[in-house]
């Protein structure tokens, strides 16, 4: 064992780590704000209050309403493997409600940071059919 007075002083990793960590957190925060603003705009276009976009599980339920789908799809989001299809199905319903197809549904489900602002702030119009699928 080396005596304490002979050991090299510890280098602080805070000199690099803290600014990098802060930059990463700031970047992630900006991404979350962009996605939330896009989802808020989508909800508003569909006739729902925008604040519903920031409530974690409730926003999926509202998306089921926008896509005119049954509520039980929300239950399937907790089943492993099946949840991938359930999340796609929920988002595909939203895409269909705005006149878009399968690709847009996949984009909303798995690239939501790009597609929610695209639908929310783009020229896409909500098309309510008034029937439950």
């Amino acid at each position: 064992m080396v005596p304490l007075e002979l050991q090299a002083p510890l280098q602080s990793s805070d000199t690099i780590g803290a600014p990098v960590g802060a930059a990463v957190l700031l970047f992630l925060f900006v991404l979350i704000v962009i996605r939330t603003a896009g989802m808020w705009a989508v909800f508003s276009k569909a006739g729902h209050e925008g604040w519903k976009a920031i409530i974690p599980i409730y926003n999926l339920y509202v998306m089921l309403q926008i896509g005119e789908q049954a509520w039980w799809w929300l239950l399937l989001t907790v089943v492993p493997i099946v949840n991938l299809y359930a999340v796609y199905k929920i988002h595909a319903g939203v895409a269909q409600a705005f006149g878009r197809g399968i690709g847009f549904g996949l984009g909303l489900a798995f690239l939501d940071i790009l597609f929610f602002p695209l639908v929310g702030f783009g020229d896409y119009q909500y098309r309510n059919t008034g029937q439950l699928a």
Side-chain angles (χ1 to χ4, degrees):
M1 177 148 250
V2 179
L4 283 175
E5 52 275 346
L6 297 178
Q7 290 181 353
L10 297 175
Q11 296 292 326
S12 175
S13 62
D14 291 339
T15 58
I16 298 293
V20 171
V24 168
L25 285 175
L26 181 63
F27 178 72
L28 292 174
F29 180 73
V30 168
L31 291 180
I32 290 169
V33 167
I34 291 170
R35 179 190 171 271
T36 303
M39 189 181 278
W40 189 299
V42 167
F43 281 28
S44 296
K45 277 186 175 182
H48 292 272
E49 291 85 9
W51 62 264
K52 294 179 181 179
I54 61 175
I55 312 290
I57 294 173
Y58 186 55
N59 65 11
L60 288 175
Y61 178 72
V62 173
M63 283 192 273
L64 284 168
Q65 292 176 336
I66 292 171
E68 298 174 347
Q69 297 184 4
W71 63 270
W72 54 265
W73 281 104
L74 188 60
L75 296 178
L76 294 179
T77 61
V78 297
V79 180
I81 307 298
V82 177
N83 64 354
L84 294 173
Y85 180 70
V87 166
Y88 160 72
K89 184 72 173 165
I90 291 169
H91 288 83
V94 173
Q96 190 174 24
F98 282 91
R100 309 314 305 162
I102 293 172
F104 233 81
L106 286 169
L108 283 171
F110 302 111
L111 292 172
D112 57 352
I113 185 68
L114 298 173
F115 281 82
F116 270 109
L118 187 63
V119 174
F121 301 119
D123 293 332
Y124 301 103
Q125 298 296 318
Y126 177 63
R127 301 173 184 183
N128 185 7
T129 61
Q131 51 185 312
L132 184 63

